[in-house]
Amino acid sequence: MRIKVNQALVSEKAQTGIEVAGWVRTKRDAKGFSFVEINDGSCLKNLQAIVDHTLPGAETLADVLTGASVRLVGDLVPSPAKGQAWEFKATTFELVGKADATYPLQKKGHTPEFLRTIPHLRARTNRLGSTLRVRSKLAMAVHRFFQERGFAYVHTPVITASDCEGAGELFRVTTLDPLAPERDASGKADWAKDFFGRQSFLTVSGQLEGETLASALGDIYTFGPTFRAENSNTSRHASEFWMIEPEMSFCDLKGDMDVAEALVQYLVRAALEECAEELAFFDAYVDKGLLERLRLVAEKPFARVSYTEAVDILLASGRSFEFPVKWGENLQAEHERFLTETHFKCPVTVYNYPKTAKPFYMRQNDDSKTVAAMDLLVPGVGEIVGGSQREERLDRLEAAMSEHGLDLQAYAWYTDLRRFGTVPHAGFGLGFERMLMFVTGEGNIRDVIAYPRTPGHA
Ligand code: 4AD
Ligand code: MG
């Protein structure tokens, strides 16, 4: 019976006649036997196997280089070596797949930049392997969080005809021939002849459809891929990323912030509990101080300030920012990071933003200048959550849609929600990769997703 390396390493007793399989990290030859370090991806640590040169299959050892795949049968025995309870004493050895000396992941340090050039192999490194294990655990923790609270997991379309954020950062989905599209009378591409009979795009957010489902199921969440043709080449923007979007009926901005903060805290705790080995690795090799910061976040309540208070704090800071601070402008990354890293030194939720800086669907506050929006900012990353209470009043919503230049007819399905049993409701989007950056200390979004898509790179 094959057991995984992670199970072997925590075994409570010696075991005989078991099978292990994996990829060779290193091999060291001694007199009469070899040490072979095996990793099978189940955990960060390797299992050390001792392969006697007289064993069946041992004659292939000369061909066993870093990266080769091997299968061994043998016994799990107490290890005399420091730092490991168990080692594996092989009774048979099999070289499954050779790797020659050109294998790029030889035992030495590799820069993240180099590793990005070999995305098909880099998951075999300690660093990306650990990130992908954390990613898997946190994805399940997201579901646990919402399922425990009675939210329904819904699937909103990936292909859509609407632009939720109104920023025009859409990837077009078309089957028209780009070189010779069918044309309308004015000579432009004729979208009526396109696959869906109209223009369609990859979704920038499942929110609008999510709202329709929340007005039926009460509390819902989505967790899926999201696409933005946003030409920002930063360490925090990807063209394809995963977003978690809850939507809650009978909920206001305060309730929305409560859930967002509880989710972020829940995920940090889950990572501390379920990925202790990986986080210790990141703390040691990627971001010193990570563990201490995460423990604080797991325990301490987050700060909350209104946008107006945040602007006052920034103005009073005496800092000279690259982008000047001015009421009415969106906060820039440098402003967000000053608030969370320098001023509050903890995650902070900023709420009630000027309406000019935000999309059409946010609920207008009584001051007629701000909307019930919120962003959750964390040290090292900045914004990881963006959300709002939605405008549930039909007249206000239609006025805002007109102001934003939306075609009311095309969004009649959305305004129907306000015609038939409208309710106060709210939701937010948590960027999954940004959450992973926060939890691993990775500084670049390209290193928390297996196949990053960014401008110029697919
Ligand atoms: O603030 P955003 O644009 O909000 C929305 O899309 C709302 N419709 C969400 C909602 O209320 N249901 O995006 C939400 C979050 C951001 O805070 C950020 O974490 C992440 O999505 N995000 C990105 N992550 C990686 N790359 C990008 N290009 C991102 N754009 C947004
Ligand atoms: Mg945002």
Side-chain angles (χ1 to χ4, degrees), residues 3-23:
I3 66 168
K4 296 274 182 94
V5 167
N6 64 336
Q7 297 171 305
L9 291 174
V10 299
S11 184
E12 277 169 5
K13 54 178 181 15
Q15 302 187 45
T16 53
I18 56 174
E19 182 181 321
V20 295
W23 292 269

Side-chain angles (χ1 to χ4, degrees), residues 36-51:
V36 184
E37 295 273 337
I38 297 165
N39 189 287
D40 68 357
S42 61
C43 62
L44 181 64
K45 289 210 180 87
N46 305 325
L47 179 64
Q48 174 171 286
I50 290 142
V51 183

Side-chain angles (χ1 to χ4, degrees), residues 300-340:
K300 234 180 91 182
F302 297 2
R304 268 185 207 180
V305 279
S306 70
Y307 167 89
T308 302
E309 289 168 297
V311 166
D312 289 343
I313 291 168
L314 291 166
L315 288 174
S317 72
R319 291 269 174 134
S320 64
F321 294 105
E322 190 189 336
F323 294 89
V325 181
K326 191 166 157 249
W327 200 100
E329 302 284 324
N330 241 331
L331 297 179
Q332 298 291 330
E334 55 174 342
H335 308 141
E336 297 178 342
R337 296 190 57 168
F338 176 84
L339 291 169
T340 176

Side-chain angles (χ1 to χ4, degrees), residues 164-165 204-205 207 228 230 236-239 241 243 245-247 361 375 383-388 390 427-431 433-434 445:
C164 174
E165 295 306 292
V204 295
S205 162
Q207 178 197 321
R228 298 207 181 166
E230 167 180 27
R236 308 179 313 144
H237 288 87
S239 315
F241 61 99
M243 185 153 57
E245 293 185 276
E247 192 68 35
Y361 53 73
D375 277 1
E383 177 193 341
I384 59 169
V385 167
S388 63
R390 321 306 188 186
F428 62 84
L430 168 66
E433 284 76 17
R434 300 244 179 117
I445 197 162

